[in-house]
Amino acid sequence: MASEFKKKMFWRAVVAEFLAMSLFIFISIGSALGFSFPVVGNKTSTRSQDNVKVSLAFGLSIATMAQSVGHISGAHLNPAVTLGLLLSCQISIFKALMYIIAQCLGAVVATAILSGVTSSLPDNLLGLNSLSEGINAGQGLGIEIIATFQLVLCVLATTDRRRTDVSGSAPLAIGLSVALGHLLAIDYTGCGINPARSFGSALIANNFENHWV
């Protein structure tokens, strides 16, 4: 721990996690807040959200950030991914802790900026994750476990240095996994497969109902 604390590269990686997380949250949640208002019978109808657009925004922004800072920090950008790499003995406990703090701070800062930018939007919950009608906490937890598991599995599998059969772009594969998780979970829980992303919205919106899910 002491040796890592003194290394410039270590703090460079922590800062990279913070900056990349901030950009990721601003872009992805910003896309989710951009609702459309379909016109039905020459009248504006209730606003609707394009789940495909939001899923692609989350996936492509993760892929872009992973490609941009992956060589500096590994581009975890998700406490669940950091925990997975910790349990697989690929990073130290201290680095995992600092990464998670940086990720949460990045999410809070980006969501706070979005709060100011989108303050005129009606019923603006800043991407707050919540259970859909008809979904209880246990069901929501099951969805979150499955969606998060496939993401962490993808990260561990595509970044495994022992593999020689992996071809193509690892950041793109991880981005597609994020998009896949959102396509599954948005309609059930809003997709909170990234605890830092969920924390930022909950803190700025001051709403922690079912946040543990």
Side-chain angles (χ1 to χ4, degrees):
M1 181 184 297
S3 61
E4 281 187 322
F5 187 84
K6 296 177 181 179
K7 289 182 179 179
K8 180 180 178 181
M9 291 298 295
F10 172 78
W11 292 108
R12 183 185 178 202
V14 172
V15 171
E17 282 289 304
F18 169 79
L19 292 176
M21 189 70 181
S22 299
L23 288 172
F24 161 61
I25 293 298
F26 188 88
I27 294 169
S28 54
I29 295 184
S31 72
L33 296 180
F35 289 97
S36 60
F37 293 80
V39 177
V40 179
N42 295 324
K43 293 183 179 180
T44 302
S45 181
T46 304
R47 66 179 184 171
S48 61
Q49 185 182 67
D50 187 342
N51 287 354
V52 175
K53 183 195 81 168
V54 174
S55 299
L56 286 176
F58 271 87
L60 292 175
S61 57
I62 276 288
T64 302
M65 292 301 106
Q67 188 69 50
S68 301
V69 303
H71 63 294
I72 300 175
S73 68
H76 297 188
L77 307 180
N78 188 333
V81 171
T82 299
L83 180 60
L85 292 171
L86 173 64
L87 295 178
S88 60
C89 301
Q90 298 189 48
I91 59 173
S92 67
I93 294 177
F94 181 60
K95 175 175 277 191
L97 178 61
M98 293 305 300
Y99 270 25
I100 291 173
I101 292 174
Q103 291 158 6
C104 289
L105 285 176
V108 170
V109 169
T111 308
I113 295 173
L114 269 175
S115 177
V117 172
T118 63
S119 59
S120 60
L121 287 178
D123 303 322
N124 184 10
L125 295 178
L126 298 171
L128 180 71
N129 292 123
S130 59
L131 298 175
S132 299
E133 186 176 352
I135 301 296
N136 60 41
Q139 293 168 331
L141 180 62
I143 292 291
E144 287 294 323
I145 289 174
I146 293 171
T148 306
F149 177 77
Q150 65 85 25
L151 170 59
V152 176
L153 177 63
C154 178
V155 172
L156 293 178
T158 54
T159 60
D160 190 345
R161 296 178 182 177
R162 296 168 297 181
R163 294 186 63 179
T164 59
D165 61 320
V166 177
S167 59
S169 171
L172 180 59
I174 294 169
L176 290 174
S177 179
V178 171
L180 180 63
H182 281 77
L183 287 171
L184 165 67
I186 282 180
D187 287 330
Y188 299 98
T189 63
C191 193
I193 59 176
N194 188 324
R197 165 261 189 275
S198 298
F199 175 74
S201 296
L203 182 66
I204 300 302
N206 193 27
N207 186 339
F208 288 89
E209 183 178 0
N210 292 316
H211 180 65
W212 66 273
V213 173

